[in-house]
Amino acid sequence: MNNKPIGIFDSGVGGISIWKELQLRLPSEDTVYLADSKNAPYGEKSAQTIVQLSCKNTELLLDQGCKLIVVACNTATTNAIDHLRAQYPVPFIGIEPAIKPAALQSLSRTVGVLATRGTLSSALFHSTVNNHASNINIIEQEGTGLVELIEEGKAYSEAARALLRSYLQPMVASGIDHLVLGCTHYPHLIPLLKEELPPHVIVIDCGEAVANQTYRILEKKELLAAPNRKPKHHFYTNTEPALLTTFLKDVKGEIKVSYKDF
Ligand code: DGL
């Protein structure tokens, strides 16, 4: 048993979608969450900068005694996870666009991927497509501007709807029957996505798979916390904490949100 916290980081509030899945699967675990909103969006930055930011976040989480780190950001995972695994002694769980399940399930053989430029241009994304979807028509779409709107608290706004519509319509016209959400911010757009997508298009997001994988690795490495604990959750943001707090309003349990300059 190991009651040290799980560390989680993202470029902002996107990883809260992953954090919520972790709570469901691992209800006894303490967590420390870093929202690097000051540096969002990561998706528009160079691979080298994304690696530097990911190292900075990892070191802060290690200073907090984290036993495992969930990189709750597709852009950071696809650009930096190999580097993080080589450099730091704790296990890392990453998230990348769920191309494989979408490709296996697609009847139209046409799958849309909505992700950041940083993810779509990464070597890891290209090798995943080559390995699991070489016979599928993959329609890639950069979600430019969506992360900024979500970070401004405008996930359900006319501006977000207009942008999303302009990204979805060409994919729908191409015949997609699955849409892969390749950015952890985008599950916050699900109410709008449901309104804007035809009902036959299935939205795939892999937050639950990340939580299951985290459980498996903790169990395998004998790092699970004692059962039936009352966990503590500490969220750090390097911008105004009000936005992060709104994403946690329905959450029960011991939660603390703090500003930290990082
Ligand atoms: N939420 C992140 C992701 O999953 C990063 C978005 C961004 O900062 O561009 O890709």
Side-chain angles (χ1 to χ4, degrees):
M1 292 298 157
N2 184 316
N3 293 338
K4 288 182 178 172
I6 295 174
I8 302 153
F9 76 83
D10 179 46
S11 62
V13 295
I16 301 287
S17 58
I18 305 295
W19 179 85
K20 287 187 174 169
E21 295 290 346
L22 288 166
Q23 296 329 292
L24 294 174
R25 188 72 184 88
L26 291 151
S28 292
E29 299 287 341
D30 289 356
T31 61
V32 179
Y33 184 103
L34 290 186
D36 189 13
S37 295
K38 190 172 76 183
N39 291 302
Y42 280 14
E44 302 292 317
K45 295 186 161 48
S46 69
Q48 193 191 3
T49 304
I50 296 166
V51 170
Q52 279 165 4
L53 292 168
S54 301
C55 289
K56 171 201 65 155
N57 295 334
T58 297
E59 285 167 22
L60 276 162
L61 290 169
L62 293 178
D63 286 347
Q64 303 278 327
C66 293
K67 61 186 173 185
L68 170 148
I69 292 178
V70 178
V71 182
C73 174
N74 291 259
T75 311
T77 300
T78 52
N79 286 278
I81 201 153
D82 290 345
H83 187 94
L84 298 176
R85 286 188 172 131
Q87 183 149 338
Y88 301 103
V90 291
F92 286 88
I93 309 292
I95 179 165
E96 56 172 312
I99 301 290
K100 188 178 173 185
L104 288 171
Q105 290 164 31
S106 175
L107 296 176
S108 69
R109 318 302 289 153
T110 308
V111 167
V113 184
L114 187 62
T116 67
R117 178 177 307 164
T119 292
L120 294 174
S121 62
S122 68
L124 186 57
F125 177 76
H126 289 124
S127 69
T128 303
V129 170
N130 288 337
N131 291 338
H132 301 294
S134 54
N135 56 347
I136 297 278
N137 185 17
I138 297 284
I139 315 277
E140 297 174 19
Q141 175 64 55
E142 290 175 13
T144 312
L146 292 172
V147 167
E148 289 92 324
L149 285 168
I150 295 162
E151 288 290 323
E152 286 166 23
K154 296 178 185 157
Y156 196 87
S157 64
E158 284 314 306
R161 185 189 299 279
L163 206 50
L164 205 49
R165 192 174 286 171
S166 73
Y167 295 152
L168 297 176
Q169 273 177 352
M171 290 198 270
V172 172
S174 304
I176 62 163
D177 62 356
H178 286 71
L179 175 68
V180 176
L181 298 185
C183 170
T184 55
H185 279 73
Y186 301 163
H188 297 311
L189 297 169
I190 282 178
L192 274 185
L193 280 166
K194 283 197 176 140
E195 290 170 13
E196 293 297 323
L197 279 173
H200 72 276
V201 176
I202 295 167
V203 175
I204 301 212
D205 131 57
C206 51
E208 193 183 341
V210 170
N212 287 336
Q213 177 66 357
T214 305
Y215 181 92
R216 277 193 293 271
I217 296 297
L218 287 174
E219 187 183 39
K220 188 169 154 204
K221 296 191 177 289
E222 299 183 357
L223 289 173
L224 283 166
N228 305 318
R229 295 175 69 243
K230 281 214 170 85
K232 293 190 184 72
H233 305 293
H234 202 151
F235 293 79
Y236 293 99
T237 174
N238 50 16
T239 58
E240 168 55 46
L243 174 75
L244 189 64
T245 309
T246 62
F247 281 89
L248 298 169
K249 64 179 184 303
D250 302 326
V251 174
K252 296 184 191 75
E254 198 177 322
I255 288 201
K256 195 168 162 195
V257 180
S258 310
Y259 170 81
K260 187 176 170 68
D261 188 16
F262 63 93

